[in-house]
Amino acid sequence: QLELAESGGGLVQPGGSLTLSCVVSGYTLDYYAIGWFRQVPGEEREGVAYISNSDGTTYYAYFAKGRFTISKDNAKNTVTLQMNSLKPEDTGVYYCAGDDLPDSDPLDYRGMDYWGKGTAVTVSS
């Protein structure tokens, strides 16, 4: 079974940066695509970024384009989400998730198979 563990969340001022890490165990990143999702209490979970296992193709939500970068290190079995120019509306719990089969919408959380426990991000002055 795939296991995922997020880290790197915290409190940051608007305009600041954070780097979230997702360490994957159980299988290598050759077999699973990884996505980052976020959720605010009372709202539906939404996709942020996604990286495929086959060729590293990346996908971003509209709000993440130009500010966030997803990348992976196969040797370390780690996927990173670099977040720059953070805004208060980026506040939420960020989850990484594993996907064993490509979906028509990689940023749809309902297509993901395994989930980490999340790491909280707060953007506030």
Side-chain angles (χ1 to χ4, degrees), residues 98-114:
D99 187 8
D100 63 354
L101 289 174
D103 300 297
S104 59
D105 181 0
L107 295 177
D108 186 345
Y109 71 93
R110 292 166 293 187
M112 307 305 286
D113 301 292
Y114 299 95

Side-chain angles (χ1 to χ4, degrees), residues 13-77:
Q13 293 187 342
S17 299
L18 276 178
T19 302
L20 304 185
S21 294
C22 174
V23 177
V24 176
S25 59
Y27 289 88
T28 70
L29 292 176
D30 293 331
Y31 295 98
Y32 285 86
I34 302 295
W36 282 97
F37 298 79
R38 69 185 187 186
Q39 190 168 22
V40 175
E43 297 186 11
E44 191 173 27
R45 192 167 295 189
E46 63 179 351
V48 178
Y50 179 103
I51 187 164
S52 73
N53 59 309
S54 56
D55 59 4
T57 300
T58 57
Y59 303 84
Y60 294 94
Y62 71 94
F63 57 80
K65 289 180 180 179
R67 298 192 299 131
F68 296 0
T69 302
I70 188 170
S71 62
K72 64 176 181 172
D73 185 335
N74 285 352
K76 296 182 178 180
N77 240 29

Side-chain angles (χ1 to χ4, degrees), residues 65-104:
K65 289 180 180 179
R67 298 192 299 131
F68 296 0
T69 302
I70 188 170
S71 62
K72 64 176 181 172
D73 185 335
N74 285 352
K76 296 182 178 180
N77 240 29
T78 298
V79 176
T80 298
L81 183 68
Q82 176 66 43
M83 305 189 296
N84 299 325
S85 302
L86 284 162
K87 305 175 182 180
E89 52 264 42
D90 294 318
T91 295
V93 178
Y94 283 69
Y95 301 88
C96 62
D99 187 8
D100 63 354
L101 289 174
D103 300 297
S104 59

